[in-house]
Amino acid sequence: MIARLLPHAGRGWLYATALFALMSLASAQGIARPKLKIDDIPRETQAGEGPGRYVPPVPARKNLPTLWLIGDSTVRNGSKGDNGPEGQWGWGAPITAYFDLKKINVVNRALGGTSSRSFYHDRWEDVRKRIKEGDIVMMQFGANDHGGAKGKGALDGVGNETEMNGDEEVHSFGWYLRRYVEDTRTQGGKPVVCSLTPRKSWAADGRFRRGGGHAEWAWQAAKETNAAFVPLNEIIARRYEKLRERKVDALYVPSPAETLHTGWDGAVVNAECVIAGLKALDEDPLADFYSKRAGAIRAWKQR
């Protein structure tokens, strides 16, 4: 419309300027083009074959290294890993597209409703025994780590204190993360700790509220074990502050009431934040396995 008001000779400049602005915006947000679609994600990376409500996926090519993802519904949503009833998606599905599956397997073993504690007791052993030399295990917990010993979550903090829940000895959030890290290394794998995705919440000054305790405790556990750490909570919060509240509302499903689970577009944003965080590591264990799409994502820069 504006172009019609300009002399014909000036239209090329206008289009070039507009295109540059759009490219700059995409680059600033780390958006990979063309737009990622649900059908672009191989089902074998999210769910296995067989009867039952939940069939865990396994590596498609045994001769390749594997990226194992463990966590809760913000990493993998739906019993079949194909989203929940509200169209909610975890970032563990779209992140598959940022890796070259001819070089590495991606296996999303995250499961909705789990905490660092419940996953450790119910799901971890089957993952642990499959980890081989050269594999990477990326973990993100915290959304369900509440309720203390009598609930299903871990104790607060990173210490070695324990409480009993019947016959079960319950440990701190940091303790469980350290065990994942140590077990991964014992199997010859490389651990990567991510802080949890933030719940949607805005402060009066327009800042997006961070994750607080569990985000901090994930960092402390990674530091104590000298494990790679992706400050995902902070990276996502900063991305959301650039997008502003109206656009961020649309990333959560159902919008605007939902505060934890994203839809597909939100999962893609969060997956790109994970890639940006990985690229910012001093030693990125996944640097040799990125796909062409990942090339559009720049390393996150801490202020």
Side-chain angles (χ1 to χ4, degrees):
M1 193 68 184
I2 296 174
R4 295 176 184 174
L5 303 178
L6 296 176
H8 180 74
R11 292 184 183 181
W13 173 86
L14 176 67
Y15 293 147
T17 302
L19 180 60
F20 177 78
L22 289 172
M23 291 176 65
S24 297
L25 176 61
S27 178
Q29 294 182 355
I31 297 172
R33 297 289 189 240
K35 184 177 180 180
L36 185 61
K37 301 184 295 295
I38 293 172
D39 291 342
D40 293 331
I41 308 306
R43 293 291 306 127
E44 65 191 16
T45 66
Q46 308 298 308
E49 297 291 336
R53 182 179 178 185
Y54 171 63
V55 182
V58 295
R61 299 172 180 82
K62 294 182 179 180
N63 60 313
L64 298 181
T66 297
L67 168 60
W68 299 91
L69 305 177
I70 63 174
D72 52 44
S73 59
T74 61
V75 183
R76 181 186 180 278
N77 207 295
S79 59
K80 295 292 185 182
D82 56 356
N83 79 342
E86 300 286 355
Q88 297 167 345
W89 285 88
W91 58 257
I95 203 172
T96 303
Y98 298 87
F99 295 100
D100 185 344
L101 298 185
K102 294 179 180 179
K103 296 180 179 179
I104 189 169
N105 298 303
V106 177
V107 176
N108 190 357
R109 283 294 188 96
L111 190 64
T114 58
S115 65
S116 63
R117 166 187 166 193
S118 65
F119 193 96
Y120 181 77
H121 288 298
D122 300 336
R123 303 290 175 181
W124 175 237
E125 178 57 24
D126 190 65
V127 177
R128 186 203 64 78
K129 68 183 182 182
R130 297 173 186 271
I131 299 169
K132 65 182 185 300
E133 188 80 27
D135 285 1
I136 298 96
V137 178
M138 186 153 31
M139 62 198 77
Q140 183 226 279
F141 290 99
N144 300 310
D145 275 280
H146 46 71
K150 300 303 179 183
K152 66 177 179 180
L155 303 181
D156 288 350
V158 297
N160 292 316
E161 63 276 10
T162 63
E163 292 184 18
M164 297 302 296
N165 180 33
D167 295 333
E168 178 193 6
E169 188 175 39
V170 182
H171 300 269
S172 73
F173 180 70
W175 186 92
Y176 291 107
L177 293 189
R178 290 194 298 270
R179 287 303 301 267
Y180 292 130
V181 168
E182 292 162 3
D183 287 353
T184 296
R185 285 175 172 157
T186 298
Q187 292 292 107
K190 298 177 182 179
V192 178
V193 179
C194 296
S195 52
L196 76 172
T197 60
R199 292 179 182 269
K200 187 180 65 176
S201 179
W202 297 89
D205 63 0
R207 281 174 53 81
F208 197 86
R209 290 191 175 95
R210 274 55 171 171
H214 288 94
E216 177 71 16
W217 299 330
W219 172 76
Q220 291 180 17
K223 184 178 180 181
E224 290 176 8
T225 56
N226 196 30
F229 177 66
V230 173
L232 186 57
N233 193 272
E234 180 67 20
I235 298 172
I236 292 174
R238 292 191 195 177
R239 172 76 76 86
Y240 286 179
E241 286 170 348
K242 290 182 179 179
L243 294 175
R244 311 300 282 271
E245 190 167 353
R246 182 177 62 83
K247 290 183 179 179
V248 170
D249 271 348
L251 298 180
Y252 288 78
V253 178
S255 174
E258 177 64 29
T259 61
L260 178 62
H261 298 103
T262 61
W264 177 255
D265 288 344
V268 172
V269 169
N270 291 349
E272 293 187 346
C273 288
V274 175
I275 298 298
L278 287 168
K279 287 188 173 184
L281 296 171
D282 290 338
E283 295 183 13
D284 178 3
L286 290 156
D288 294 334
F289 305 111
Y290 290 126
S291 67
K292 183 178 179 181
R293 174 176 290 273
I297 310 301
R298 296 186 302 180
W300 179 68
K301 293 184 179 180
Q302 190 170 5
R303 293 171 184 166

